[in-house]
Amino acid sequence: MRRVIISDITLKRISEDRAVSLLFREKSAIAICADKIGSDIIEIPAIKSPREDRIIYKTIAQNVQNAVFAIPVGFSSEEVSVAWDCIKDAKKPRLQVELPVSTIQMEYTYHVKQAKMLEKISALIKEAKALCGDVEFSALDATRADEDFLIAAVKEAEANGAGIVTICDDAGVSTPDDIAALVNEAREAMDPMERMRKGMSGKCRAFIADPPMADEMLPEVKVGGLPEFPRKTLFHALNSRAMVRRYAKSVGKTNKDVTVIVAHMGGGSSVSLHRNGLVIDVNDALGGDGPISPERAGNVPGFPLVEKCFCGKWNEAQIKKRLVGRGGAVAYFGTNDFRELIARAEAGDKEVDTFLKGYCISFAKYIAGLATVVCGKVDAIVITGGIAYSERITKDISDRVGFIAPVVVYPGENELESLAENGYGILNGEFEIRYYHPDHF
């Protein structure tokens, strides 16, 4: 019997998103919800503030009833002990040793070479195993590692008590076949009896679900004002495609039967047009194209940008950071927290209020523009992403674009749900499996 194991990394991901800052009760509610809906594993971020995080994590650990509760242990013996203290009251605690195995990350992040990293892997796993029966080793940036060293790291982890080894493609540079081959090499390096005990009899297969750069755009929408700058696709594909499937199901159809515009509002912004299961037009959400976002500028006038580039004060990296990372709300107000901005607007801050209206208008313009690609024949407009929790924002946009098609709001970045959906779809034959061809790259 085949089984999909679902590891919920919501809290881990949110800790990396500067656009989102959760309260104690919100973190606890997310973990409890993930536990109740059947997640097999709940992963929390590494400890940053020992005093505050210890209180939060110990409370969550006591409330998680069914899932494995996992936490990274850091890089020192003291951090291992602190991590264990946070989760030891969980019914199924797990300590995670997360260390890079690529030369660039070992030397850049931890300033150690291969031999010292092997010693560190061994030491941390031993210390974790002495405290907790369930220890996982995550080989970070494994796809850029020397293969012989990766195998050595896996063997070292297994020999010292790691029951689970995770191979990570942090760089995102490998095809599914490359990942599967690497995992199979690592599995072959394990003790044969241990492989048999864990039921590792067949070959591993790997899949990528809804990659953000998959290009299904119509040729005519790629045309830009200059031939050397064609329009490109890079967007929040995992959540956006999942929300189209969700909408289609709600009206008794499939994603191949509907035409939907999806506006994703999070730390980044993307607006995508879905027709017959394909994304036929979308902005390049990471390349300076699109609406305003909490920390991205979106479209900016060309001439002033050129002048800024050649003013002699900013280099290329600074300009790019200004567009993506320090643009949008950050550039105006020094924060990417939209809850704070909405509260300020409601308290009478006219400057913030004007900015929020402009933010909504920038989304509305993109939505309306995409509608013209299909001559206005749109079944629905879906608003999603973390900022979609704000009724003020969603109402403003809905009022502006509701004349095009009905507006449906699905708040949140439902990426884990989408990954699980894709996994089940592959197992039951519902989803078509496509293949990457290296000669087409």
Side-chain angles (χ1 to χ4, degrees):
M1 178 181 177
R2 292 183 295 182
R3 179 183 174 218
V4 175
I5 296 176
I6 300 175
S7 184
D8 187 290
I9 60 171
T10 304
L11 290 172
K12 231 175 189 179
R13 286 291 301 275
I14 288 176
S15 73
E16 300 167 359
D17 188 347
R18 291 174 295 172
V20 180
S21 177
L22 297 180
L23 302 174
F24 184 149
R25 65 176 182 273
E26 292 172 324
K27 294 178 181 178
S28 182
I30 288 171
I32 292 170
C33 178
D35 187 41
K36 287 183 177 179
I37 64 176
S39 295
D40 298 286
I41 306 159
I42 297 172
E43 300 188 35
I44 56 177
I47 294 168
K48 295 180 180 178
S49 173
R51 183 176 179 181
E52 179 183 343
D53 290 344
R54 181 183 275 112
I55 296 171
I56 295 172
Y57 293 165
K58 286 176 76 71
T59 301
I60 296 175
Q62 293 169 359
N63 291 316
V64 171
Q65 299 299 310
N66 303 302
V68 171
F69 194 53
I71 185 173
V73 301
F75 196 65
S76 68
S77 299
E78 181 182 357
E79 290 174 303
V80 174
S81 298
V82 172
W84 172 242
D85 185 57
C86 289
I87 67 163
K88 64 183 180 181
D89 295 328
K91 290 189 175 181
K92 300 176 183 178
R94 174 179 295 170
L95 293 177
Q96 298 172 310
V97 177
E98 299 182 337
L99 293 173
V101 291
S102 68
T103 299
I104 187 171
Q105 287 299 326
M106 285 189 292
E107 296 185 0
Y108 177 78
T109 306
Y110 293 105
H111 312 293
V112 299
K113 295 189 181 297
Q114 291 183 353
K116 288 293 184 182
M117 183 56 76
L118 283 179
E119 291 177 8
K120 179 59 70 173
I121 291 170
S122 173
L124 289 179
I125 290 176
K126 281 182 181 177
E127 291 172 14
K129 190 68 175 181
L131 298 171
C132 180
D134 187 354
V135 177
E136 174 185 357
F137 170 59
S138 292
L140 304 180
D141 205 23
T143 54
R144 292 195 295 179
D146 174 77
E147 190 171 304
D148 290 339
F149 178 70
L150 172 62
I151 299 304
V154 169
K155 288 182 175 179
E156 195 72 25
E158 182 190 14
N160 287 283
I164 298 171
V165 175
T166 301
I167 306 296
C168 304
D169 179 26
D170 300 65
V173 297
S174 301
T175 68
D177 288 342
D178 293 333
I179 294 288
L182 192 61
V183 171
N184 286 322
E185 284 286 333
R187 287 171 63 169
E188 287 296 321
M190 295 176 63
D191 180 83
M193 296 303 294
E194 186 67 13
R195 290 206 312 270
M196 185 180 297
R197 187 181 69 81
K198 293 180 178 179
M200 297 180 180
S201 57
K203 291 290 186 180
C204 167
R205 298 181 68 192
F207 302 92
I208 292 178
D210 297 332
M213 72 294 295
D215 186 356
E216 300 164 341
M217 293 172 67
L218 299 174
E220 56 267 34
V221 303
K222 294 182 180 181
V223 177
L226 292 171
E228 58 267 38
F229 298 140
R231 296 185 65 243
K232 297 180 180 180
T233 173
L234 191 65
F235 71 114
H236 303 85
L238 197 56
N239 185 46
S240 297
R241 291 183 190 270
M243 293 305 96
V244 173
R245 291 193 292 268
R246 179 175 172 181
Y247 164 75
K249 186 176 181 180
S250 74
V251 295
K253 298 180 179 181
T254 73
N255 64 321
K256 295 183 179 180
D257 303 319
V258 296
T259 300
V260 179
I261 296 173
V262 180
H264 178 102
M265 304 186 300
S269 301
S270 64
V271 186
S272 50
L273 174 60
H274 303 244
R275 184 177 68 182
N276 300 332
L278 302 177
V279 180
I280 62 172
D281 196 4
V282 64
N283 64 295
D284 181 351
L286 197 60
D289 175 24
I292 302 169
S293 84
E295 51 190 34
R296 299 179 190 176
N299 279 350
V300 294
F303 277 20
L305 178 61
V306 171
E307 291 168 4
K308 186 68 70 176
C309 290
F310 289 92
C311 70
K313 296 180 180 179
W314 291 8
N315 59 33
E316 179 183 349
Q318 290 171 321
I319 291 287
K320 288 182 176 179
K321 192 66 175 178
R322 183 69 169 171
L323 295 174
V324 179
R326 294 177 183 167
V330 172
Y332 280 86
F333 307 109
T335 181
N336 52 20
D337 189 339
F338 259 51
R339 293 178 302 178
E340 174 190 334
L341 295 178
I342 291 168
R344 286 170 59 178
E346 292 175 349
D349 189 322
K350 293 184 178 179
E351 184 181 1
V352 174
D353 185 68
T354 299
F355 172 83
L356 292 177
K357 289 178 180 176
Y359 171 85
C360 294
I361 289 172
S362 73
F363 261 99
K365 285 180 176 179
Y366 262 84
I367 292 169
L370 286 185
T372 66
V373 177
V374 289
C375 302
K377 297 176 182 178
V378 179
D379 295 305
I381 297 166
V382 173
I383 301 177
T384 186
I387 296 175
Y389 282 108
S390 167
E391 185 177 350
R392 170 196 166 131
I393 299 296
T394 57
K395 184 179 185 305
D396 189 317
I397 296 173
S398 298
D399 288 345
R400 298 178 189 280
V401 301
F403 70 94
I404 300 170
V407 178
V408 181
V409 179
Y410 294 141
E413 301 189 10
N414 306 278
E415 294 173 337
L416 293 175
E417 175 185 325
S418 177
L419 282 174
E421 180 184 5
N422 277 277
Y424 281 115
I426 289 169
L427 290 180
N428 64 24
E430 179 185 349
F431 290 172
E432 176 187 358
I433 299 173
R434 300 180 181 180
Y435 295 89
Y436 284 86
H437 298 284
D439 55 327
H440 292 171
F441 289 173

